[in-house]
Amino acid sequence: MSLDPHQWSWRDEAFLMREGLRVQNALEYFSHSEFYRFFDGQKSLLQMRRRGIDTVGLSGTDFRIVYANIAAKVGEVSGSLIVLQRVEVSSGGSDAKEVFYIQGGTVFLSPTVASVLQGALSDASLSLKDQHESLTMRLPFGQDRRPVVTHALPQLSSILFSV
């Protein structure tokens, strides 16, 4: 398994067959995942609530459902989409962290905006490099491997004004 959780996906067929997947059990389903363990879910407020501990007023990591489509609300696994978010809760409020989504029963970590932009810029950079190399391959080169640039205007003016 990769050390980068953005490359992971997780699915528990036994849980899905036994319990199904709907909004009411999505956090329990997620709590069995590698993502939950990797992001310290065992120390989270969600874990405390699962043990019956009142977490009102406590600070720490929490996991929340922030979106569920209609399929997830009616328990249709194949078409379900549930979005979860890890938040850091403190007396001053909450700070949003990672976003996870469960699509059709498979859990993924959502890429960050920065990683999406980095990927797009990297692709654009490689494309420009390839285009540059393609263009320079077509130019005539002098012995020092620099493009030979000829200027037609001085030659044209010498012909016109030599009469």
Side-chain angles (χ1 to χ4, degrees):
M1 178 181 284
S2 167
L3 295 178
D4 179 6
H6 286 95
Q7 296 180 8
W8 300 351
S9 65
W10 180 86
R11 184 178 182 88
D12 184 346
E13 287 293 341
F15 183 101
L16 294 171
M17 295 295 287
R18 186 178 62 251
E19 307 285 332
L21 180 64
R22 54 193 184 290
V23 175
Q24 295 82 354
N25 69 353
L27 288 172
E28 180 182 349
Y29 182 70
F30 180 74
S31 73
H32 295 280
S33 74
E34 294 296 323
F35 296 105
Y36 190 73
R37 286 185 280 285
F38 185 82
F39 289 97
D40 292 329
Q42 290 87 355
K43 301 174 188 171
S44 69
L45 299 175
L46 172 60
Q47 190 69 22
M48 295 169 102
R49 284 192 301 276
R50 291 178 72 214
R51 292 184 191 140
I53 300 169
D54 182 13
T55 60
V56 175
L58 295 179
S59 296
T61 298
D62 203 3
F63 295 89
R64 299 176 180 167
I65 295 175
V66 295
Y67 173 81
N69 68 358
I70 292 172
K73 291 177 182 175
V74 298
E76 182 184 305
V77 175
S78 63
S80 66
L81 176 63
I82 301 170
V83 180
L84 304 131
Q85 189 165 40
R86 184 176 81 87
V87 294
E88 290 297 325
V89 179
S90 67
S91 59
S94 61
D95 185 21
K97 298 293 182 184
E98 291 81 17
V99 174
F100 306 89
Y101 57 99
I102 306 172
Q103 184 176 14
T106 303
V107 181
F108 302 92
L109 173 61
S110 179
T112 63
V113 172
S115 68
V116 171
L117 288 175
Q118 180 182 12
L121 290 173
S122 177
D123 289 349
S125 173
L126 288 173
S127 177
L128 287 172
K129 181 180 178 212
D130 289 346
Q131 289 177 9
H132 177 264
E133 287 174 359
S134 175
L135 288 172
T136 56
M137 295 292 285
R138 295 181 195 159
L139 291 175
F141 285 95
Q143 288 185 357
D144 59 358
R145 299 299 298 159
R146 286 189 283 169
V148 175
V149 180
T150 58
H151 297 286
L153 190 58
Q155 293 170 355
L156 182 62
S157 63
S158 68
I159 294 170
L160 291 175
F161 298 113
S162 65
V163 184

